[in-house]
Amino acid sequence: MAEFDLTTTLGQYLDRHLVFPLLEFLTVKGLYDEKEMLMGKLDLLSNTNMVDFAMDVHRNLYPDQAVPQVLKDKRQEVVAQLKTLQAKTDSITEIFEKPEVQRQIQASRDGRQLYDFLSKEYGFKHDMINTLYDYAKFQYECGNYSGAAEFLYFVRVLIPPNDRNFLNACWGKLASEILMQNWEYALEDLNKVKDLIDSNSFNSDLMTLQQRTWVIHWSLFVYFNHPKGRDLIIDQFLYTPTYLNAIQTTCPHVLRYLTTAVITNKQRRRAVLKDLVKVIQQESYTYKDPITEFVQCLYVDFDFDGAQKKLRECETVLFNDFFLVACLEDFIENARLLIFETFCRIHECISTSMLAEKLNMSLDDAEKWIVNLIRNARLDAKIDSKLGHVVMGTQAISPYQQVIEKTKNLSFRSQMLALNIEKKLGNRGGQDSQWAGQE
């Protein structure tokens, strides 16, 4: 199933540290040759300070060879540089550890107030913030993400949004929280980065588009791990025009993740499916995979045999996708429900054996599944066991109900729009740099 693997495509928009979890996942799945995977890891590590990790990978890759002198020399350089930066930073960290400073950090309304306090009481200077930033970035490159996140927090608080390192610090803090799997903090940092990009005036529209493309890819880590992620991915990817435009322009492969979020979102699925289908149709000439094709078969072509075939392929795609593997059971269950609902809208009397075939289930399992579905969903249907049929009731939807269905999501979307406007008005201009280390 390497045919549908998106790791190489996604990796172009991720920091190299964020690519490591994807490579570890692929190694476990065994999609590629193990030696090639180790070579890929070694190549990624070449531009980081995680020298011990690189040495371990080299030993696994070339068990009969000694560790290259280049790596040994680099390790000495990294240790020496770490000691130098640590010595420069010790006096700064001592200030932050003082009880009165901790109290002031909690009480300060903004970064400027805290900076003035530190400057007045402890002779704090702007150069110290740059030292903190350099130390945080070095810690990040060494793989010490907790230390990087801690120092980058102070950097972000103490410098104004128009400082050249402010946006860099926000990207770095986001990456650190993702790699530590602190999803609540990661979501806060993701929203901060989004707000900065939306309120910034970059040198060109192309640069703004590039920044949004990075946000889209980094957000996959957060949205597929945060409890509210499947709602948030729909709001950002489908109903925020600037991000939908970025997906359609630079990364239509992200439709795989949007489609999965919609199918597995029971509460909002019905309301957003029509909008999703429209986007999938528009982009079908640039990107398609079994997940998007499943939706197209079901809602555009009404090809139930095709949908059934694609559903079997979807199972394999999800099982081998780093972000989607946890959604596998949920996706299959909801996809079967969509097939059943669509089939029932077209037919009044359906053979249970035919339904079992369409749902890729045994006859007994299909009958139990349909009985539970009718009971739980309160569908107007009954099963004729003797004839082996499911008989659907014919209940027309009243115009009032149709109006309610079409406007049900309007209030929520209006609130989101108002909130975005408030954020844009409240934010000050940032700056157009990117977290160092991006390629």
Side-chain angles (χ1 to χ4, degrees):
M1 286 303 295
E3 174 189 357
F4 297 115
D5 176 42
L6 291 178
T7 303
T8 304
T9 306
L10 299 174
Q12 300 174 52
Y13 306 101
L14 298 175
D15 181 270
R16 61 180 61 241
H17 291 254
L18 295 177
V19 178
F20 284 117
L22 276 68
L23 293 185
E24 291 294 339
F25 177 81
L26 290 179
T27 302
V28 172
K29 293 297 179 183
L31 285 185
Y32 299 98
D33 179 70
E34 186 177 357
K35 188 174 181 180
E36 288 183 4
M37 296 301 300
L38 288 170
M39 290 175 69
K41 289 179 187 177
L42 199 58
D43 183 54
L44 272 178
L45 288 165
S46 62
N47 287 328
T48 72
N49 293 331
M50 294 190 289
V51 189
D52 289 339
F53 187 12
M55 287 179 172
D56 289 339
V57 173
H58 189 277
R59 290 189 192 101
N60 290 331
L61 185 58
Y62 307 108
D64 55 341
Q65 295 181 20
V67 173
Q69 188 62 38
V70 177
L71 286 176
K72 294 178 181 178
D73 293 342
K74 185 175 181 179
R75 190 181 190 282
Q76 291 180 349
E77 291 173 13
V78 168
V79 170
Q81 195 174 352
L82 178 62
K83 287 179 179 178
T84 303
L85 285 169
Q86 210 163 14
K88 289 182 180 178
T89 315
D90 280 345
S91 59
I92 304 172
T93 54
E94 284 175 10
I95 294 174
F96 288 125
E97 287 170 0
K98 293 181 183 295
E100 59 269 29
V101 174
Q102 291 288 328
R103 285 194 295 270
Q104 186 65 30
I105 290 171
Q106 297 295 325
S108 295
R109 294 188 304 273
D110 55 48
R112 187 67 203 176
Q113 184 181 5
L114 177 61
Y115 180 85
D116 289 343
F117 168 79
L118 293 173
S119 179
K120 182 179 178 182
E121 298 295 329
Y122 300 98
F124 197 85
K125 298 178 181 178
H126 192 275
D127 288 346
M128 292 181 174
I129 303 175
N130 293 333
T131 302
L132 264 184
Y133 175 82
D134 292 338
Y135 187 50
K137 187 175 184 304
F138 193 85
Q139 290 277 17
Y140 179 85
E141 291 299 339
C142 290
N144 180 11
Y145 306 120
S146 59
E150 181 182 356
F151 293 124
L152 287 171
Y153 168 78
F154 288 115
V155 170
R156 199 175 63 186
V157 166
L158 290 169
I159 59 177
N162 60 353
D163 189 282
R164 65 185 179 87
N165 284 333
F166 186 79
L167 185 56
N168 289 344
C170 291
W171 278 109
K173 176 76 161 47
L174 171 59
S176 300
E177 298 296 354
I178 288 172
L179 290 160
M180 290 190 293
Q181 300 182 23
N182 293 332
W183 304 120
E184 286 295 340
Y185 290 124
L187 180 60
E188 290 177 14
D189 292 330
L190 176 65
N191 289 331
K192 186 174 287 290
V193 170
K194 280 165 51 184
D195 292 342
L196 278 170
I197 292 169
D198 291 340
S199 61
N200 267 341
S201 53
F202 291 97
N203 291 336
S204 66
D205 291 338
L206 181 61
M207 188 173 289
T208 305
L209 179 64
Q210 185 183 47
Q211 294 276 332
R212 288 199 176 110
T213 305
W214 280 328
V215 167
I216 287 166
H217 288 81
W218 291 36
S219 69
L220 296 176
F221 289 93
V222 182
Y223 290 152
F224 283 102
N225 286 284
H226 194 279
K228 297 180 181 177
R230 296 180 200 181
D231 277 325
L232 296 171
I233 201 170
I234 292 170
D235 294 331
Q236 183 182 338
F237 291 2
L238 190 59
Y239 291 122
T240 307
T242 51
Y243 283 93
L244 178 58
N245 176 259
I247 290 170
Q248 292 176 310
T249 305
T250 61
C251 51
H253 53 268
V254 173
L255 288 176
R256 170 187 293 187
Y257 303 100
L258 174 59
T259 304
T260 303
V262 171
I263 289 176
T264 55
N265 191 313
K266 295 179 182 178
Q267 294 180 333
R268 297 181 60 190
R269 180 175 59 225
R270 192 183 297 274
V272 302
L273 261 172
K274 187 183 293 185
D275 296 323
L276 174 67
V277 170
K278 191 185 300 180
V279 175
I280 288 175
Q281 279 187 278
Q282 289 172 349
E283 300 305 315
S284 60
Y285 68 97
T286 57
Y287 178 78
K288 60 175 68 175
D289 66 21
I291 294 175
T292 60
E293 287 178 314
F294 168 77
V295 172
Q296 191 155 357
C297 283
L298 197 56
Y299 290 103
V300 179
D301 305 328
F302 295 98
D303 178 3
F304 294 99
D305 291 332
Q308 176 200 355
K309 180 183 175 183
K310 291 301 174 186
L311 182 56
R312 285 197 293 267
E313 293 179 9
C314 287
E315 193 169 351
T316 312
V317 171
L318 269 75
F319 183 72
N320 291 293
D321 190 294
F322 173 82
F323 296 106
L324 303 181
V325 64
C327 305
L328 178 57
E329 291 184 11
D330 210 9
F331 182 92
I332 299 301
E333 175 69 17
N334 284 283
R336 282 175 175 161
L337 178 58
L338 292 177
I339 293 173
F340 180 77
E341 287 179 343
T342 309
F343 204 77
C344 290
R345 288 196 193 103
I346 299 172
H347 304 87
E348 291 183 11
C349 185
I350 311 159
S351 165
T352 49
S353 60
M354 183 190 294
L355 270 177
E357 183 185 342
K358 300 295 181 193
L359 298 172
N360 196 26
M361 302 170 77
S362 69
L363 184 59
D364 289 341
D365 288 342
E367 284 185 356
K368 291 175 186 175
W369 186 81
I370 293 165
V371 167
N372 289 330
L373 189 64
I374 290 172
R375 184 186 297 124
N376 296 333
R378 297 177 183 174
L379 295 176
D380 185 13
K382 60 183 180 180
I383 292 181
D384 188 331
S385 299
K386 289 182 179 179
L387 297 175
H389 289 164
V390 178
V391 182
M392 303 302 300
T394 55
Q395 184 177 357
I397 302 175
S398 71
Y400 305 105
Q401 187 63 33
Q402 291 181 43
V403 171
I404 291 170
E405 284 292 328
K406 288 183 181 294
T407 58
K408 187 162 48 178
N409 208 32
L410 192 59
S411 174
F412 175 79
R413 289 170 67 177
S414 299
Q415 288 175 359
M416 290 298 297
L417 184 61
L419 188 63
N420 287 334
I421 292 171
E422 286 178 14
K423 283 181 179 179
K424 286 183 179 180
L425 292 175
N427 277 323
R428 289 176 292 177
Q431 102 99 27
D432 60 353
S433 61
Q434 165 64 21
W435 172 242
Q438 283 295 322
E439 294 181 354

